[in-house]
Structures are given as structure tokens and as C-alpha cells.
């Protein structure tokens, strides 16, 4: 790959490796600072020496890559807010009892059935200055919402750490928030909030105010709510109010990328601006006017859309592309891509762990690299067929590039993504073209009726098409087990295949064969690893009891409610994540055996025998028992309680076990319990 010959490519790769090293290794800040300082000094020395003697060029290169690596480490540590002394995570007392907390609302999130949700920035805890982002959950009630972005509010509450997953193979929401530098949440009612009259009028305040003005003006023009929410997602990246049914349709039709503002949307905006500026001559002054207009428009769009990560990375990418075009360097698209990655990660290194960031750049890279090759397979003469060919090749290149990563994160694949993209691209072009005009005019409350109707009807038709495609449920391949070994080896095989296909040679063919063998090795290793597993898991499910026993690929579930468990995501997540097959779901018995260990279950009946003598005692369904008497009669080695028990009674049982010196495990507090 010629792109690897670019020095910037190697520097960017070293920087990314440095970010990954700091993320997983967590080196000391003093060591990294010392390394960066030393390397910068030697960098200057090797630079001047390499100008005089060629043998120092190699040492200068090595020094450059090491400097990039350690700067990557330093960048991540510098942006890790938990390492800062002023971050609220270091205020331990705020997690132990209620304190007066002053914070500023930064962003409105998608709410749930119970709470309105915001991201806030902490200013003070009691009278001490602190910093850091936090999620605010405000209980829904009949009162109107008077909060706006920029409000400084005061409340008395206790900080709650983000909960870790309580069942195996579930999405780790705690880690997801940690990567966004959010370490805690608060749960309050509106009556507990004291709103300061002063408003923090920063860029987020003006962005939210402009967005609110657009929404209010569209509502005033009687824009259908469903279509308006899709329009806001398509054009402004605001998905907070979009219904779960519509999201489901877009996800299963393979068009979910349409609802997330990305390079596709920003590309439409650049095309629209270029169309408006077409009358301006391509003179030096005219080109500068065009460039400034494009960069300003993209910046305004980023602000209107709320400065979300997906919008920021797309705007940065296309801003560099516009600058490259202005400098007449169209051939260095890879340089533009690399510079945008490096610049984004310098300011936000945690974007590297954002799924959207990974998918966006992988899709864009494979479009630039693979699409020109795919175009050569079919060369039609008809313009309509050429457009269809272009849509197909772009879509196929992006899907090949993101396919392993999508399987790794989502474990499903929409089989009709080809048909979806061919159908929706023309409709989406019209929606974006008209939608941009409507959003601009809505900011000034001068939306013409005919434009409003064109946009509304176009989105209505788009939703119907998406719903129709999503209705072919059998084309969505679900529950695909996929681990990191598969991810690495599949990408190795795909990249090797493209390199060989682009310019075949014997050595490249050997590398391709080796990559295919590594895929087979990963499949065999995973199969052997899963076949050797023998484990039992006690899950954390509210108002229910669930136990699984896994012997190799075969998984048996035991529960007191077979109907509700069969539709539970917990069962599916464990089966997919463990590469297992569901054998049966049956009623739980009072006595279970695992690896010479006896497990006895006391349920709501509270019945037990004195001669059982179990190794593990599992208590479920809040039985009315005297635990001290139970412990005296049964002598278990450990007590386990699941989420079917009430919290109050579990606290009493915990106290009893502590007094008796018997280990106590509550799945509601400590998560699932695994026996190996």
C-alpha cells in the first residue's frame, strides 16, 4: 500500500498506538512527560545531524515515531479528567451522602419513560470548586419543563457511580460513559432544583437556542411531529425525540447511517453551498471567497447541530478537503484523511474509542481505496446505470470496510442494505437539498408552505420505503457470534485480498493465503475454547430467577418464569457472546449440582430440609425466613440472593451474614455470580 509510504501515515499510526497504550496501560504522567521532553531534545539534534550526514536519517525517523507515540500517550492522559485533582470523582464524600451541588446544563439527551435527561458540568460541591461532566436524571411529572441549556442549577443530592453491567456479555454503559469523561449520575425531581437567574451564555447555549427556535417555528407551521423529528435527525443530527419504531425500521433496513449525521450529510451541504456559489468566478479572490464561505457554513452547521462528535469529525474532514481543493492538491485525499484524524485525536483522543468515529473513518477509507477498483468491474455507458453503479460500489466498499466491526459491536447484518441505498439516495438528496433551505428559513420564521410540504411529504415517503424494506425481517441476519480474534483476522484477510486484487503478484498471493489460514486458526481456536468451557451463571433479573449451565456449546437455562425469560435480552446476550446454542429453558429445581457442588434454592415458599447441607444457598422471591436459623441448620459456604428479592430484606440478610462471617453475594449490587 502506497499510503503506508507517507511519513504522515506512520506518524499518525504511532500516535494512535500511543493513545491505545495510555488507555489500556495507564502509565504514570511523570514518566510520559520525561520521555516526551527527552525525545523532543534529541529530535532537534537528530534533525540537524541528518541534514549533514545521511546515516542519521534513520535515527531521526525512529526518534520522530517515538515522539509521536509518547505524544499520543500524553494527549490521552491530559484529556483524562479523572486524573485532574479538581474533578468531582476525587470528592469521595459526595458519593457517600447528599451535598449541595452547583452545575450548568450543557446538553439535552434522549429521555426515557421515567426521566428527562441532561448532561451537566459541575461547578461547585458545597463551597469548593470542582469540574467534570455528569448525567442529570429529572423525574417526569405534569409540570412544564422550564430548563434550558445554559441554566445554572443548584441541588442537594448524592452522586451515584455509573452502574456496571449486571449480567454477562451485556453492553457496558459504564465504560461507554467513562470514555465520554462522565463518571456519575444524579436522580432528582423538579421540586428539588433551584434555578439561578444567571444563564451561562456559551456556545452550547446559543446552539441550543438556535435549534429551539427552528423547532418552534416548524411546530408553528404545523409540521408533522414524526416527519419533523426525522428531518432534525437527518439534517441537524438531533435524534433525541425520534420514535423507537422509526429507529427500529432504519436499523433493520440497513439505513441507520442516514439518521446519524456523517460525511454523507456534510457532503450534501458542501454540494449545496458549491451550487449556490457557482456564479462566483474561479479567480484567486473568488476561490478564497468560496473557501471562507464553505468553512464558515460548515462551522455554523456544527454549532446548530449541537457540536456532536459525529458532526465535528465530518466537518473537520470536509474542511480539510475544501482546503486541499483550494490548494489544488486533489490527489492527496489520504493526506487529508490522516490530517483530520490526527487533528481530531489531538483535541479529543477519546473519540478513538467512539463506535461512530471508527465506522466513519473505516467507511471513508475503504470508499477511497476500494471503490475505484469496484468501478472497473462494470463500466456502463448509460448515465442512469453509471449513477446506479456509483451508488452500488460506494455502498459495497463501505460495507466491506465496516462489516467485521459491525458484527463485532452489533452481532447482526442487514441483508437488504444494497436495495435500501439504491432507493433512498435519490429521496435523501431531495430531502437534504430542501431541508437545508427549510432549516435556514425556519431560523427566521419565513418557511414557505410549498417547501414545508415538499420536505414533509418526502420524509413521509422515505419512512414508508424504509418501513417496507424493514418488514422483510428474514433478510436481517441476527445473533452472529463474533469476537476480537475474528475481527483482527477478518480485517487482515480483507486488506490482503484487496492488495492482491489491486496488483496481483506471487508474494501478495502468499500473504493472502496466510491471512486466510489465520482466519481458520481463529475459528478453530474459538471453537476449541468454547468447547472446553463448563460454567454455571446466576443472573440478575428483576422479579425473576434465572440460572444457566453451559457445557461446551450447549446451554441450558433454569427459571421460575419460562415465558418472560424466553423474550429476555439477557438470555440472547449470553448465548451469542459465549458462542453457545440454546438447548432448553425449563423450570428451576430446588436442588442443583455443579462440579461436585450442591446448590439449594429457597424460593417464596420458604421450605427447606435440615439434612441438605448445600455448598451454595440461593435465596429467591423474598421468602419469609429466619436467616440465622437457616444458617444454623444448613451451614452453607456462601449465600447468593438475586434481584427477585426486595432490597430491604437483602440488607437484613447481608447484615446477618456479616455477623456470622459467611460470604454474601447480591446480584443486584455485585452483578451475576459465576461458578467455574
Amino acid at each position: 500500500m502506497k499510503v503506508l509510504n507517507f511519513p504522515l501515515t506512520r506518524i499518525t499510526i504511532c500516535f494512535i498506538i500511543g493513545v491505545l497504550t495510555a488507555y489500556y496501560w495507564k502509565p504514570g504522567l511523570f514518566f510520559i512527560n520525561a520521555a516526551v521532553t527527552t525525545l523532543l531534545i534529541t529530535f532537534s539534534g537528530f534533525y540537524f545531524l541528518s541534514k549533514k550526514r545521511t546515516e542519521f536519517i534513520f535515527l531521526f525517523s525512529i526518534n520522530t515515531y517515538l515522539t509521536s507515540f509518547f505524544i499520543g500517550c500524553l494527549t490521552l492522559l491530559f484529556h483524562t479528567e479523572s486524573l485532574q485533582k479538581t474533578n468531582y470523582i476525587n470528592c469521595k464524600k459526595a458519593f457517600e451522602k447528599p451535598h449541595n451541588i452547583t452545575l450548568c446544563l450543557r446538553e439535552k439527551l434522549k429521555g426515557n419513560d421515567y426521566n428527562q435527561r441532561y448532561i451537566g458540568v459541575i461547578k461547585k460541591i458545597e463551597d469548593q470548586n470542582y469540574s467534570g461532566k455528569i448525567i442529570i436524571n429529572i423525574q417526569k411529572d405534569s409540570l412544564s419543563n422550564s430548563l434550558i441549556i445554559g441554566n445554572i442549577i443548584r441541588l442537594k443530592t448524592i452522586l451515584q457511580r455509573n452502574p456496571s453491567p449486571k449480567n454477562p456479555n451485556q453492553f457496558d454503559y459504564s465504560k461507554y460513559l467513562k470514555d465520554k469523561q462522565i463518571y456519575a449520575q444524579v436522580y432528582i425531581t423538579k421540586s428539588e432544583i433551584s434555578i439561578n437567574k444567571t444563564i451561562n451564555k456559551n456556545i452550547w447555549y446559543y446552539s441550543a437556542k438556535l435549534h429551539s427556535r427552528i423547532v418552534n417555528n416548524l411546530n408553528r407551521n404545523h409540521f408533522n411531529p414524526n416527519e419533523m423529528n426525522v428531518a432534525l435527525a437527518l439534517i441537524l443530527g438531533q435524534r433525541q425525540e425520534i420514535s423507537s419504531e422509526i429507529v427500529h425500521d432504519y436499523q433493520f433496513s440497513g439505513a441507520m447511517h442516514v439518521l446519524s449525521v456523517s460525511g454523507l450529510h456534510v457532503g450534501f451541504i458542501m454540494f449545496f453551498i458549491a451550487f449556490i456559489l457557482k456564479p462566483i468566478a474561479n479567480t484567486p479572490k473568488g476561490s478564497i471567497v468560496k473557501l471562507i464561505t464553505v468553512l464558515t457554513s460548515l462551522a455554523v452547521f456544527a454549532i446548530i447541530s449541537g457540536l456532536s462528535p459525529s458532526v465535528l469529525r465530518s466537518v473537520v474532514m470536509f474542511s480539510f478537503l475544501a482546503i486541499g481543493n483550494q490548494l489544488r492538491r486533489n490527489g492527496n485525499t489520504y493526506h487529508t484523511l490522516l490530517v483530520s484524524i490526527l487533528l481530531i485525536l489531538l483535541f479529543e483522543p477519546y473519540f478513538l474509542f467512539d463506535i461512530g468515529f471508527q465506522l466513519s473513518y473505516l467507511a471513508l477509507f475503504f470508499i477511497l481505496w476500494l471503490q475505484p477498483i469496484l468501478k472497473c468491474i462494470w463500466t456502463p455507458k448509460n448515465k442512469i446505470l453509471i449513477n446506479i453503479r456509483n451508488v452500488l460500489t460506494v455502498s459495497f466498499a463501505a460495507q466491506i470496510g465496516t462489516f467485521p466491526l459491525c458484527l463485532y459491536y452489533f452481532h447482526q447484518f442487514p441483508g437488504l442494505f444494497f436495495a435500501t441505498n439504491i432507493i433512498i439516495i435519490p429521496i435523501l438528496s431531495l430531502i437534504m437539498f430542501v431541508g437545508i433551505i427549510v432549516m435556514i428559513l425556519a431560523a427566521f420564521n419565513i418557511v414557505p408552505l410549498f417547501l414545508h410540504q415538499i420536505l414533509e411529504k418526502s420524509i413521509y415517503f422515505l419512512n414508508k420505503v424504509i418501513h417496507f424494506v424493514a418488514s422483510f425481517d428474514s433478510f436481517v441476519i441476527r445473533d452472529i457470534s463474533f469476537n476480537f480474534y475474528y475481527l483482527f483476522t477478518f480485517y487482515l484477510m480483507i486488506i490482503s485480498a484487496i492488495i492482491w486484487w489491486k496488483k496481483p503478484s506471487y508474494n501478495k498471493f502468499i500473504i493472502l493465503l496466510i491471512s486466510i489460514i489465520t482466519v481458520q486458526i481463529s475459528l478453530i481456536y474459538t471453537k476449541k475454547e468454547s468447547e472446553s468451557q463448563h460454567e454455571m451463571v446466576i443472573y440478575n433479573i428483576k422479579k425473576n430467577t434465572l440460572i444457566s449451565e453451559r457445557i461446551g456449546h450447549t446451554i441450558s437455562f433454569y427459571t421460575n418464569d419460562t415465558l418472560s425469560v424466553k423474550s429476555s435480552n439477557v438470555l440472547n446476550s449470553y448465548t451469542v457472546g459465549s458462542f453457545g446454542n440454546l438447548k432448553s429453558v425449563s423450570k428451576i429445581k430446588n436442588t442443583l449440582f455443579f462440579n461436585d457442588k450442591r446448590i439449594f434454592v429457597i424460593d417464596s415458599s420458604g421450605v427447606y430440609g435440615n439434612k441438605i447441607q448445600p455448598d451454595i444457598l440461593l435465596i429467591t422471591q423474598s421468602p419469609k425466613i429466619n436467616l440465622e436459623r437457616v444458617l444454623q441448620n444448613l451451614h452453607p459456604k456462601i449465600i447468593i440472593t438475586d434481584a427477585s428479592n426486595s432490597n430491604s430484606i437483602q440488607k437484613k440478610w447481608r447484615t446477618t451474614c456479616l455477623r456470622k462471617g459467611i460470604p454474601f453475594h447480591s446480584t443486584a449490587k455485585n452483578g451475576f455470580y459465576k461458578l467455574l
Side-chain angles (χ1 to χ4, degrees):
M1 294 172 66
K2 291 182 180 180
V3 68
L4 293 177
N5 295 327
F6 299 154
L8 182 61
T9 303
R10 300 170 193 166
I11 290 170
T12 304
I13 290 172
C14 289
F15 180 87
I16 290 172
I17 293 172
V19 171
L20 291 170
T21 302
Y23 182 81
Y24 291 106
W25 179 36
K26 296 290 188 299
L29 194 58
F30 176 79
F31 168 73
I32 298 298
N33 275 323
V36 170
T37 304
T38 304
L39 286 166
L40 287 175
I41 293 170
T42 55
F43 176 86
S44 304
F46 282 131
Y47 174 76
F48 289 110
L49 288 171
S50 64
K51 289 289 185 181
K52 297 178 180 180
R53 300 176 64 178
T54 55
E55 56 264 31
F56 284 100
I57 293 176
F58 176 74
L59 293 174
F60 172 70
S61 300
I62 297 297
N63 187 275
T64 301
Y65 302 142
L66 284 174
T67 303
S68 179
F69 170 82
F70 281 104
I71 288 176
C73 293
L74 184 63
T75 301
L76 185 104
L77 295 175
F78 181 76
H79 285 86
T80 303
E81 295 185 12
S82 60
L83 299 178
Q84 299 174 9
K85 293 181 180 180
T86 57
N87 190 269
Y88 65 83
I89 196 73
N90 298 309
C91 183
K92 305 298 182 184
K93 58 184 181 181
F95 292 89
E96 297 168 357
K97 60 181 182 179
H99 281 72
N100 289 313
I101 301 172
T102 305
L103 46 82
C104 177
L105 297 185
R106 168 70 62 82
E107 179 185 348
K108 186 176 182 181
L109 301 175
K110 186 177 179 66
N112 54 36
D113 294 337
Y114 309 102
N115 300 304
Q116 295 171 340
R117 303 171 71 240
Y118 295 85
I119 290 179
V121 178
I122 287 182
K123 301 294 184 183
K124 288 184 177 181
I125 298 178
E126 295 297 347
D127 294 324
Q128 288 187 313
N129 292 327
Y130 280 95
S131 63
K133 292 183 290 185
I134 193 170
I135 290 183
I136 308 161
N137 298 276
I138 304 174
Q139 185 179 346
K140 287 183 176 178
D141 55 28
S142 58
L143 299 176
S144 60
N145 184 19
S146 57
L147 295 174
I148 61 171
I149 301 304
N151 272 145
I152 297 174
I153 63 175
R154 186 178 174 88
L155 44 93
K156 187 171 185 178
T157 186
I158 186 171
L159 298 182
Q160 298 185 29
R161 299 182 189 276
N162 299 318
S164 299
K166 296 293 173 57
N167 291 302
N169 304 326
Q170 283 189 324
F171 173 67
D172 193 342
Y173 188 58
S174 174
K175 179 180 178 298
Y176 169 79
L177 291 178
K178 185 179 178 182
D179 289 343
K180 293 183 178 295
Q181 309 301 295
I182 300 173
Y183 306 105
Q185 303 187 42
V186 293
Y187 294 84
I188 53 173
T189 61
K190 289 180 182 176
S191 59
E192 296 176 297
I193 298 174
S194 175
I195 304 175
N196 196 312
K197 293 181 180 179
T198 305
I199 297 176
N200 188 7
K201 295 184 178 180
N202 52 24
I203 192 170
W204 288 276
Y205 165 78
Y206 289 108
S207 172
K209 190 174 182 180
L210 182 57
H211 173 256
S212 179
R213 180 182 175 85
I214 291 171
V215 172
N216 291 335
N217 289 335
L218 290 175
N219 282 325
R220 201 173 290 120
N221 283 276
H222 307 290
F223 207 111
N224 184 282
N226 280 334
E227 277 72 55
M228 184 180 71
N229 290 332
V230 173
L232 293 172
L234 289 171
I235 300 162
L236 300 182
Q238 302 291 331
R239 293 170 50 186
Q240 291 92 335
E241 304 301 328
I242 197 166
S243 68
S244 57
E245 292 80 11
I246 291 176
V247 172
H248 176 274
D249 286 344
Y250 277 78
Q251 184 179 5
F252 278 58
S253 65
M256 194 62 194
H257 60 283
V258 171
L259 293 181
S260 302
V261 172
S262 60
L264 177 68
H265 303 74
V266 179
F268 273 121
I269 292 170
M270 279 194 64
F271 175 79
F272 174 72
I273 296 167
F275 176 77
I276 294 174
L277 299 176
K278 204 169 184 179
I280 300 175
N282 287 324
T283 60
K285 289 185 179 179
S287 297
I288 291 173
V289 170
K290 287 183 178 181
L291 178 62
I292 293 172
T293 305
V294 167
L295 296 179
T296 304
S297 301
L298 292 179
V300 170
F301 170 72
I303 293 170
I304 293 173
S305 61
L307 299 169
S308 65
S310 60
V311 174
L312 280 175
R313 59 178 171 259
S314 299
V315 165
V316 170
M317 172 60 202
F318 278 89
S319 296
F320 275 97
L321 188 62
I323 294 169
N325 289 336
Q326 168 64 23
L327 297 173
R328 302 292 188 270
R329 293 181 178 175
N330 299 331
N332 288 333
T333 312
Y334 290 115
H335 273 127
T336 305
L337 190 67
L338 290 167
V339 168
S340 67
I341 292 174
L342 193 57
L343 185 67
I344 288 173
L345 295 181
L346 273 170
F347 288 96
E348 289 290 347
Y350 277 95
F351 276 7
L352 182 62
F353 308 98
D354 183 84
I355 298 173
F357 180 90
Q358 296 168 13
L359 291 173
S360 292
Y361 274 102
L362 271 174
L364 191 53
F365 173 76
F366 274 87
I367 288 171
L368 293 173
W369 187 35
L370 181 59
Q371 199 251 354
I373 306 172
L374 297 175
K375 284 170 67 175
C376 298
I377 297 174
W378 180 34
T379 55
K381 300 292 176 66
N382 186 283
K383 285 188 176 181
I384 295 175
L385 292 177
I386 290 172
N387 290 330
I388 293 174
R389 187 275 311 269
N390 291 339
V391 172
L392 279 172
T393 52
V394 167
S395 178
F396 195 62
Q399 284 292 343
I400 288 176
T402 58
F403 176 69
L405 201 63
C406 287
L407 292 184
Y408 180 70
Y409 283 125
F410 308 118
H411 303 287
Q412 67 178 30
F413 179 73
L416 292 175
F417 73 91
F418 271 135
T420 304
N421 285 324
I422 291 173
I423 297 169
I424 69 170
I425 289 298
I427 309 171
L428 188 62
S429 302
L430 175 63
I431 290 172
M432 292 298 298
F433 186 79
V434 177
I436 292 167
I437 298 174
V438 169
M439 294 299 166
I440 293 171
L441 295 177
F444 301 97
N445 195 22
I446 50 173
V447 181
L449 180 62
F450 78 95
L451 284 179
H452 158 269
Q453 290 178 340
I454 290 173
L455 181 60
E456 188 176 43
K457 297 300 181 184
S458 299
I459 295 175
Y460 175 80
F461 181 67
L462 176 66
N463 288 343
K464 287 295 181 183
V465 169
I466 293 293
H467 179 71
F468 174 74
V469 175
S471 65
F472 293 93
D473 195 61
S474 58
F475 284 92
V476 181
I477 306 169
R478 299 186 186 87
D479 305 335
I480 304 171
S481 298
F482 208 82
N483 59 18
F484 183 77
Y485 304 130
Y486 290 2
L487 178 69
F488 178 77
T489 55
F490 267 71
Y491 269 119
L492 186 64
M493 182 180 67
I494 290 169
I495 292 169
S496 301
I498 295 172
I499 292 172
W500 172 78
W501 186 15
K502 199 169 184 180
K503 195 174 181 180
S505 70
Y506 176 77
N507 290 336
K508 291 176 183 178
F509 184 69
I510 294 298
I511 293 172
L512 174 59
L513 289 178
I514 292 171
S515 68
I516 293 172
I517 292 170
T518 60
V519 170
Q520 294 174 330
I521 291 172
S522 70
L523 294 171
I524 294 169
Y525 177 77
T526 301
K527 184 179 179 181
K528 290 290 183 183
E529 188 179 43
S530 59
E531 284 178 348
S532 64
Q533 294 294 321
H534 185 200
E535 64 184 25
M536 179 173 279
V537 178
I538 299 171
Y539 296 82
N540 180 70
I541 301 179
K542 287 185 177 181
K543 301 179 181 179
N544 204 345
T545 298
L546 180 64
I547 301 173
S548 70
E549 183 178 10
R550 175 188 172 196
I551 303 174
H553 291 292
T554 304
I555 303 174
S556 301
F557 285 90
Y558 306 96
T559 179
N560 62 336
D561 187 353
T562 56
L563 291 176
S564 64
V565 165
K566 283 182 178 179
S567 60
S568 172
N569 290 328
V570 173
L571 183 149
N572 192 56
S573 297
Y574 179 73
T575 305
V576 173
S578 59
F579 289 78
N581 300 313
L582 178 61
K583 179 184 177 182
S584 62
V585 178
S586 55
K587 282 280 186 179
I588 192 170
K589 299 176 182 178
N590 286 101
T591 304
L592 300 170
F593 292 91
F594 180 81
N595 286 351
D596 299 327
K597 291 182 180 178
R598 177 179 289 181
I599 304 163
F600 186 74
V601 181
I602 298 181
D603 54 24
S604 57
S605 65
V607 177
Y608 64 93
N610 293 338
K611 297 181 180 180
I612 297 171
Q613 302 295 308
D615 297 289
I616 298 170
L617 179 62
L618 173 61
I619 307 177
T620 70
Q621 308 297 320
S622 299
K624 295 180 180 179
I625 56 173
N626 185 322
L627 187 59
E628 286 195 21
R629 188 179 303 157
V630 171
L631 296 177
Q632 289 175 359
N633 292 331
L634 302 185
H635 304 288
K637 296 177 182 177
I638 184 172
I639 302 294
I640 301 172
T641 61
D642 64 13
S644 65
N645 300 287
S646 68
N647 291 328
S648 57
I649 199 168
Q650 288 192 69
K651 289 180 180 178
K652 294 179 182 178
W653 290 340
R654 182 184 292 276
T655 303
T656 301
C657 288
L658 286 173
R659 191 168 59 249
K660 294 288 185 180
I662 296 175
F664 181 86
H665 183 98
S666 168
T667 63
K669 184 176 181 180
N670 308 112
F672 66 94
Y673 187 84
K674 182 184 289 188
L675 291 88
L676 298 172

